[in-house]
């Protein structure tokens, strides 16, 4: 491996414990040898500095308030986005702690037409702007986009499934996301080392003879090297030389942010997660605090200003896209806490500092703070998490033991629940299948229950006017899933083939190992509706109601039946069987670039859109109404409380849903206790109990 110039290394790495990370790119090894677990409470934390408050107030007054009024503050219609496409931009004259904007002005959105021109043009018009005709000509006549390629290849059955909304949200016109660059590498090694490493990897395959893999490998590495050079140029425009390693905590945060900024300048992925940063940053903070070069107030200010920058990332998206995701999210997920494989908690003082931003700056959805929870985490940290959750409703929790045992102790979440080893793994994101609508297609022989159109050919509907028979419906559902899942995975293979060719994430992949693990992130929506409807058919009496064409559009359900989400094995086992059946069918299909198939049970926001496009169910779910999110019980159907719903979700086999299982719960603070201390204690107890059951299931 190439070596960094020694003087830069001596200064930047002074005081760090050496190891293999000194000779090869291995951020995890650096962290494990150098971080200090923190077992105390939040009493050391500092409030916001005057500079922080002034910058946040200035941003609110001059930009955020105006954006809320307009929906989109501004769009640059003349400059296709790239890492170094825009000059340096600042929020205000005293924006000098952590610097860098996506464009040259806060909240100004950039065009990213490599994904598809139609979405860009629509979004520009919806923002009240006019397109640049020269740019339009380039991306409609001379430069093929990802979206163009996808629709050149799509088959008629994919188009039919897409238009009927049995498959929704496919990333065929925007960035696929679910890629977490190891942005820490920029700070630890500097860009020159990363370039040299990619050059060596590129030429290492040169003597192997021609193959498609050889060509793609060398071309992708060339694109990665170009992106790293652009990253250096972008940082230089802000007055920073990031060719070598960061020398201070402030530089470590700044260098890392430049890596992330390059990604959000060049890709509009469905999720642009930032990774797992706190233990890494904390090593630098601890060194500088010990040297007396910074104070705790300085450390908090640096993290506050980084979070300010993350809160103002924006992408040019259409109103339809926003409706799918119920807003304008981009999921800058910051994963934190958990345990190392050596048994030490990965909780540091910077893990506290991150949560403190929710007090210093106020609550916000970005970055999406995700805590890897384990009942054995330090009590002071667990209590602080609970207190911040109660105050802000801005923290997400995931099972650290489940993630760590499969993806390692340097894993992070992309989007909401998708885990991956940072810098060593990526996911081909795939939206999700409407598993609930597939049940209605099975009953109606492939006719859409809303439009009446025949979407799927060759499948027999349920006949007769008598009650539905469970075995008959289940057999038809399994057959329909063959078509639906086959169509879905076919679309995903096409999308990711085209995305690699026409919208490759060069800088994100430059911050990965040269040989990586790829997963295909499939998913399902409407699990609770399927489980409840099948339970109704099995345990109650369900009579179909037909319209004048014979299409079943509603159901009369008589008698009681078990409801998923109430810790009733009869319904919960049906849900687990559906998840397993879908995953088993996905595994039978060859995947692009030999990706490992995974599945999520996740609809944090798009459950509303799925519901609008779907009819009535035997469970009583009404046509056009929102699905429950993720693996949640049906809305208002969980009558046994939060712990029972956690028990039901815990029965889903994580091996069938390695892309993650989401349970969204709402608790009012008053429901946890009368005093703040009581509320914190009870929330910690609920989290401990729920995740302990999850470990045992």
């Amino acid at each position: 491996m190439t070596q960094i110039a020694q003087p830069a290394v001596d200064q930047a790495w002074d005081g760090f414990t050496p190891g293999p990370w000194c000779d090869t790119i291995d951020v995890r090894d650096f962290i494990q040898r150098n971080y200090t677990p923190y077992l105390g409470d939040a009493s050391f934390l500092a409030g916001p500095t005057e500079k922080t408050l002034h910058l946040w107030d200035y941003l609110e007054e001059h930009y955020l308030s105006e954006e809320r009024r307009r929906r989109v503050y501004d769009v640059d219609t003349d400059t296709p986005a790239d890492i170094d496409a825009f000059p340096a931009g600042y929020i205000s004259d005293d924006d000098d702690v952590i610097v860098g904007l996506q464009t040259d002005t806060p909240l100004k959105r950039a065009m990213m037409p490599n994904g598809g021109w139609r979405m860009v043009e629509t979004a520009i018009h919806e923002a009240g702007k006019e397109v640049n005709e020269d740019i339009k000509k380039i991306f409609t006549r001379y430069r093929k986009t990802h979206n163009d390629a996808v629709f050149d290849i799509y088959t008629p059955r994919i188009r039919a499934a897409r238009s009927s909304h049995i498959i929704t949200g496919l990333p065929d016109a925007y960035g696929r996301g679910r890629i977490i660059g190891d942005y820490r590498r920029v700070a630890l090694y500097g860009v020159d080392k990363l370039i040299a490493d990619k050059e060596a990897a590129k030429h290492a395959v040169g003597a192997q003879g021609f193959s498609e893999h050889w060509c793609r490998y060398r071309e992708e590495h060339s694109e990665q090297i170009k992106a790293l050079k652009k990253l250096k140029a972008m940082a230089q425009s802000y007055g920073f030389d990031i060719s070598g390693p960061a020398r201070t905590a402030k530089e470590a945060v700044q260098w890392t942010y430049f890596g992330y900024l390059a990604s959000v300048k060049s890709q509009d992925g469905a999720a642009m997660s930032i990774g797992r940063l706190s233990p890494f940053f904390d090593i630098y903070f601890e060194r500088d605090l010990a040297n007396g070069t910074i104070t705790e107030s300085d450390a908090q200010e640096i993290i506050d200003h980084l979070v300010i920058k993350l809160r103002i990332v924006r992408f040019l998206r259409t109103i339809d896209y926003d409706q799918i995701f119920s807003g304008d999210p981009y999921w800058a997920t910051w994963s934190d806490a958990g345990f190392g494989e050596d048994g030490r908690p990965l909780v540091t003082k910077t893990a506290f500092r991150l949560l403190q931003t929710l007090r210093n700056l106020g609550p916000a959805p970005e970055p999406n703070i995700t805590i890897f929870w384990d009942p054995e985490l330090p009590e002071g940290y667990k209590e602080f998490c609970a207190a911040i959750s109660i105050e802000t409703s801005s923290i997400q929790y995931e099972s650290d033991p489940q993630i760590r045992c499969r993806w390692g102790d340097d894993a992070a979440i992309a989007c909401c629940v998708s885990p991956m080893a940072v810098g060593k793994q990526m996911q081909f994101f795939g939206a999700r299948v409407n598993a609930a609508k597939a049940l209605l297609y099975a009953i109606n022989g492939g006719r859409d229950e809303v439009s009446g159109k025949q979407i799927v050919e060759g499948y027999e509907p349920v006949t007769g006017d008598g009650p539905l028979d469970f075995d008959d419906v289940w057999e038809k559902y399994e057959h329909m899933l063959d078509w639906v899942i086959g169509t879905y995975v076919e679309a995903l293979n096409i999308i990711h083939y085209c995305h690699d060719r026409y919208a490759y994430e060069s800088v994100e992949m430059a911050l990965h190992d040269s040989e990586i693990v790829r997963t295909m992130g499939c998913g399902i929506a409407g699990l609770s509706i399927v489980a409840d409807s099948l339970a109704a058919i099995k345990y109650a009496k369900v009579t179909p109601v037909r319209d004048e064409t014979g299409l079943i559009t509603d159901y009369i359900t008589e008698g009681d039946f078990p409801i998923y989400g109430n810790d009733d094995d009869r319904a919960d086992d049906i849900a687990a069987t559906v998840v397993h059946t879908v995953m088993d069918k996905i595994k039978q299909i060859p995947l692009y670039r030999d990706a490992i198939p995974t599945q999520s049970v996740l609809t944090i926001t798009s459950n509303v859109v799925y519901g609008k496009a779907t009819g009535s169910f035997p469970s009583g779910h009404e046509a056009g109404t929102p699905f429950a999110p993720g693996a949640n019980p049906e809305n208002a159907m969980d009558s046994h409380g939060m712990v029972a719903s956690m028990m039901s979700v815990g029965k889903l086999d994580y091996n069938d849903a390695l892309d993650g299982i989401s349970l969204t719960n709402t608790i009012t603070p008053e429901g946890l206790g009368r005093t703040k201390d009581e509320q914190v204690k009870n929330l910690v107890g609920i989290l401990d109990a729920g995740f302990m059951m999850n470990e045992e299931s």
Side-chain angles (χ1 to χ4, degrees), residues 90-106:
Y90 301 87
I91 296 172
S92 64
D93 291 341
D94 61 348
D95 177 16
D96 59 2
V97 178
I98 299 298
V99 301
L101 301 177
Q102 279 178 291
T103 58
D104 56 349
T105 303

Side-chain angles (χ1 to χ4, degrees), residues 46-118:
T49 63
E50 286 298 320
K51 175 171 281 193
T52 298
L53 292 174
H54 179 267
L55 187 70
W56 191 235
D57 289 344
Y58 186 91
L59 188 62
E60 168 63 30
E61 180 182 354
H62 291 86
Y63 296 101
L64 293 169
S65 60
E66 187 65 20
E67 181 187 57
R68 286 193 291 272
R69 189 179 69 82
R70 303 182 195 172
R71 177 180 167 268
V72 173
Y73 177 80
D74 196 9
V75 180
D76 187 303
T77 59
D78 300 318
T79 312
D82 203 351
I83 296 167
D84 59 351
F86 293 92
Y90 301 87
I91 296 172
S92 64
D93 291 341
D94 61 348
D95 177 16
D96 59 2
V97 178
I98 299 298
V99 301
L101 301 177
Q102 279 178 291
T103 58
D104 56 349
T105 303
L107 307 184
K108 181 192 286 186
R109 307 184 190 217
M111 298 181 292
M112 296 188 180
N114 288 337
W117 176 257
R118 286 182 296 173

Side-chain angles (χ1 to χ4, degrees), residues 248-267:
T248 66
K250 185 175 179 181
E251 284 189 354
V253 175
Q254 181 68 71
W255 269 224
T256 301
Y257 173 62
F258 276 143
Y260 181 74
L261 184 61
S263 295
V264 297
K265 278 175 170 285
S266 56
Q267 284 288 332

Side-chain angles (χ1 to χ4, degrees), residues 242-505:
I242 63 172
S243 58
R247 297 159 297 181
T248 66
K250 185 175 179 181
E251 284 189 354
V253 175
Q254 181 68 71
W255 269 224
T256 301
Y257 173 62
F258 276 143
Y260 181 74
L261 184 61
S263 295
V264 297
K265 278 175 170 285
S266 56
Q267 284 288 332
D268 66 341
M272 298 295 286
S273 302
I274 198 166
R276 197 167 185 172
L277 305 179
S278 294
F280 177 76
F281 287 158
D282 201 75
I283 296 166
Y284 290 87
F285 281 127
E286 285 296 297
R287 185 180 66 172
D288 286 6
L289 286 164
N291 291 339
T293 54
I294 63 170
T295 66
E296 180 55 42
S297 183
D298 296 329
Q300 187 65 53
E301 182 180 70
I302 291 168
I303 295 299
D304 284 346
H305 282 245
L306 172 61
V307 168
I308 286 173
K309 293 303 190 297
L310 297 180
R311 289 188 180 188
I312 60 173
V313 169
R314 297 291 187 272
F315 292 106
L316 182 61
R317 301 264 171 79
T318 63
I319 292 173
D320 282 347
Y321 181 99
D322 288 354
Q323 288 176 345
I324 290 175
F325 296 105
S326 298
D328 189 18
Y330 73 98
W331 287 290
T333 304
W334 183 323
S335 303
D336 219 337
F339 278 84
E341 292 173 2
D342 62 1
R344 292 183 298 158
L346 281 159
V347 173
T348 62
K349 286 186 175 181
T350 300
F352 281 79
R353 294 179 185 119
L354 174 63
L355 298 181
Q356 179 75 348
T357 65
L358 293 167
R359 284 179 171 168
N360 288 354
L361 303 174
E366 303 289 2
N368 176 16
I369 298 173
T370 298
I371 305 302
F372 286 2
W373 191 270
D374 187 300
E376 299 302 317
L377 286 173
E379 287 300 319
Y381 182 69
K382 292 198 298 183
E383 290 173 0
F384 191 56
C385 286
I388 295 295
S389 284
I390 290 167
E391 292 174 22
T392 69
S393 299
S394 299
I395 305 178
Q396 174 177 280
Y397 297 93
E398 311 242 356
S399 172
D400 180 62
Q402 293 279 22
I403 292 169
R404 186 176 68 252
C405 73
R406 290 168 175 83
W407 312 108
D409 61 6
D410 196 36
I413 299 297
C415 192
C416 301
V417 297
S418 304
M420 58 193 66
V422 177
K424 300 179 180 302
Q425 181 182 342
M426 67 161 287
Q427 182 196 99
F428 293 136
F429 166 61
R432 50 202 58 87
V433 143
N434 190 333
K437 194 176 182 75
L439 177 62
L440 300 184
Y441 273 33
I443 293 171
N444 275 307
R447 285 184 71 190
D448 189 273
E449 76 286 353
V450 177
S451 69
K453 295 179 181 178
Q454 188 73 44
I455 303 298
V456 186
E457 301 286 349
Y459 290 80
E460 291 298 320
V462 168
T463 57
D465 296 323
L468 297 176
D469 177 75
F470 176 83
D471 291 335
D472 179 50
V473 171
W474 177 256
E475 182 181 6
K476 286 180 166 54
Y477 187 47
E478 271 219 80
H479 289 322
M480 184 57 64
L481 284 175
D482 288 333
W483 186 93
V484 173
I485 298 302
T487 303
Y488 175 44
V489 175
E490 182 180 67
L492 296 185
N493 283 334
I494 291 168
I495 287 167
H496 294 295
Y497 166 82
C498 295
H499 205 290
D500 275 349
R501 292 192 67 189
Y502 298 103
Y504 180 66
E505 301 92 341

